[in-house]
Amino acid sequence: LFPYTTLFRSLAEHEAEHKALTDEVYRYIDLYRQDPANLDLSVFVFLRDWTTEHMSRSDARYSEFLVAHHAK
């Protein structure tokens, strides 16, 4: 990543969020592979929350940080 990322106070927390989100995606993939009927409304709630909570808030804050520090 960029050298500026060490200055971003919440980088470890942000990376942990990405790991948790990725783990959850793989959990849904495994459920689907076992039986597509296993997927229910929870997958849509998860995806909605990921986009509305994480991407529009956490990722946006991180992006603003990088822009403010002229990261390229």
Side-chain angles (χ1 to χ4, degrees):
L1 290 175
F2 305 103
Y4 301 106
T5 56
T6 57
L7 301 174
F8 186 65
R9 286 183 261 151
S10 301
L11 178 60
E13 181 181 315
H14 188 82
E15 288 176 339
E17 288 177 8
H18 276 253
K19 170 86 170 84
L21 292 167
T22 301
D23 290 348
E24 189 71 5
V25 167
Y26 283 116
R27 189 181 75 77
Y28 280 116
I29 290 169
D30 289 342
L31 283 173
Y32 179 81
R33 286 181 176 156
Q34 291 169 19
D35 180 0
N38 283 334
L39 294 186
D40 57 11
L41 188 58
S42 67
V43 71
F44 297 106
V45 172
F46 166 73
L47 292 172
R48 179 201 64 201
D49 290 348
W50 185 352
T51 56
T52 59
E53 297 299 319
H54 182 80
M55 292 174 73
S56 66
R57 293 193 180 139
S58 183
D59 283 343
R61 281 194 312 269
Y62 187 62
S63 177
E64 290 168 4
F65 170 83
L66 292 175
V67 169
H69 289 84
H70 309 288
K72 296 183 187 229

